[in-house]
Amino acid sequence: MPTRTALLEEVIPLTLDGYAYSGRVVHQPDARIAPIVFVGGAFQYQTAWGRLEQGCLEAASVITVDLPGWGGADRLPARFGFDFLAEALDQLLTKVAPAPVNVLATSYGTAVACEWARRHPGRVAHLALVGTMSHLTAGTRSRVEHTLRLLAEERHAEFVESVLEGMTCLSPRVTISRRATVVRCLTRALRDLTPDDLVKYRDNSRRLLTHTRLPGGGAVRAPALVVTGEHDPLSTPALGREAAARLPDARFTMLRDADHLVHLECPAELVDLVLRFFSGDSLDGLDYCHPVEYLRRPARGSVPAPRPPKEH
């Protein structure tokens, strides 16, 4: 028997400048907040949000997308920047959700979401950025370049190991929720990547190395929440806090016992956090994350300081 989700699901085929991609809407007829748009990171497909999607469907319709260069969409050469991906996202949202939406973006997808929010500030009700960074560090650039060399040399086992090391905290002295399960699943997924998936990883990585404009800037006027795992080795807490401090109306927090893969390690906690934020509820006193910091846009040369929740 079809599930309730399947009965309410709509797939939208799209093309931009000859590159085919698709969006997907799961309608929630009893929604209490604006639709939630998921913009994913590397290796994420529009149908693979799992518990995160199911949790958000309790409150809102959900929109997911395989942008050009992602998932089941056409490959997208690295010469196309995040502006092109933002245009593709806007083409979908203009068609299915012209009113303001809530945006939940993770990792690589945060650069796309921020570019779209810059271009269409009136279309964003709230912006949640998970696993983002203020800039591409030399260490991250070196690691990404290393994975590309491993792919070029067809050293796939080493490629899998390098990606895992860059995204997960494997220290036995650190507690990570569901680590064994998540690492096992991610390892299997990386080993099973198709040649098409690997080409898309190469092009998306080269795009990241070439088009370095990352989250920040006064044009993103919507209330923003920046979230990172407290043990994230890629988008570290310091880089996440710095990204939040560059936004005019931002909050920052770290999820406990998590690294870069927070959506897999603590999906229920992430759903609770973002739904509170999208609903305008209090973010105080949550035991699964560090105290939420309310950041003003810093004056030149100053360090941003927390402000009390009543000002939010």
Side-chain angles (χ1 to χ4, degrees), residues 19-273:
Y19 293 94
Y21 66 109
S22 67
R24 170 179 165 271
V25 183
V26 184
H27 297 279
Q28 168 52 272
D30 301 319
R32 57 181 175 82
I33 60 174
I36 300 173
V37 182
F38 288 67
V39 186
F43 314 118
Q44 285 183 284
Y45 280 65
Q46 64 177 337
T47 56
W49 288 95
R51 296 183 185 181
L52 212 60
E53 176 180 305
Q54 291 303 314
C56 288
L57 278 170
E58 296 296 321
S61 296
V62 165
I63 302 167
T64 64
V65 59
D66 276 349
L67 291 169
W70 257 272
D74 284 351
R75 300 174 183 176
L76 185 69
R79 68 177 182 274
F80 290 90
F82 292 106
D83 54 344
F84 182 87
L85 295 171
E87 184 179 353
L89 178 61
D90 186 64
Q91 181 172 257
L92 168 66
L93 295 180
T94 298
K95 185 177 183 69
V96 303
V101 294
N102 297 304
V103 179
L104 173 57
T106 63
S107 194
Y108 192 101
T110 62
V112 180
C114 277
E115 184 63 26
W116 181 74
R118 286 189 188 99
R119 290 165 171 256
H120 308 280
R123 301 271 301 282
V124 188
H126 299 85
L127 178 65
L129 305 172
V130 182
T132 193
M133 58 181 71
S134 56
H135 63 281
L136 201 64
T137 66
T140 298
R141 178 177 290 276
S142 177
R143 179 172 289 278
V144 172
E145 290 171 343
H146 179 61
T147 64
L148 292 176
R149 286 194 298 271
L150 293 175
L151 280 183
E153 296 167 7
E154 299 184 351
R155 295 156 63 185
H156 194 72
E158 293 172 76
F159 165 77
V160 170
E161 182 178 352
S162 182
V163 172
L164 279 170
E165 289 178 351
M167 299 176 70
T168 60
C169 175
L170 300 175
S171 171
R173 297 186 297 274
V174 172
T175 298
I176 300 293
S177 299
R178 306 180 68 236
R179 172 160 50 195
T181 300
V182 170
V183 169
R184 183 171 63 251
C185 292
L186 181 58
T187 300
R188 183 170 62 246
L190 290 170
R191 288 173 177 168
D192 292 343
L193 290 173
T194 66
D196 186 63
D197 291 329
L198 293 173
V199 169
K200 289 173 179 174
Y201 173 83
R202 181 200 65 195
D203 289 340
N204 286 334
S205 296
R206 288 176 176 169
R207 180 174 300 106
L208 183 64
L209 296 173
T210 304
H211 306 276
T212 57
R213 188 180 186 185
L214 293 170
V220 182
R221 298 199 302 262
L225 171 67
V226 176
V227 184
T228 187
E230 63 179 349
H231 303 296
D232 190 335
L234 180 60
S235 50
T236 65
L239 291 171
R241 184 181 284 106
E242 185 177 331
R246 293 169 59 188
L247 297 165
D249 182 10
R251 301 129 189 86
F252 172 78
T253 191
M254 298 173 281
L255 287 173
R256 300 186 190 279
D257 300 333
D259 52 33
H260 191 67
L261 303 173
V262 294
H263 65 292
L264 299 175
E265 293 157 350
C266 44
E269 291 81 359
L270 183 56
V271 165
D272 182 71
L273 179 64

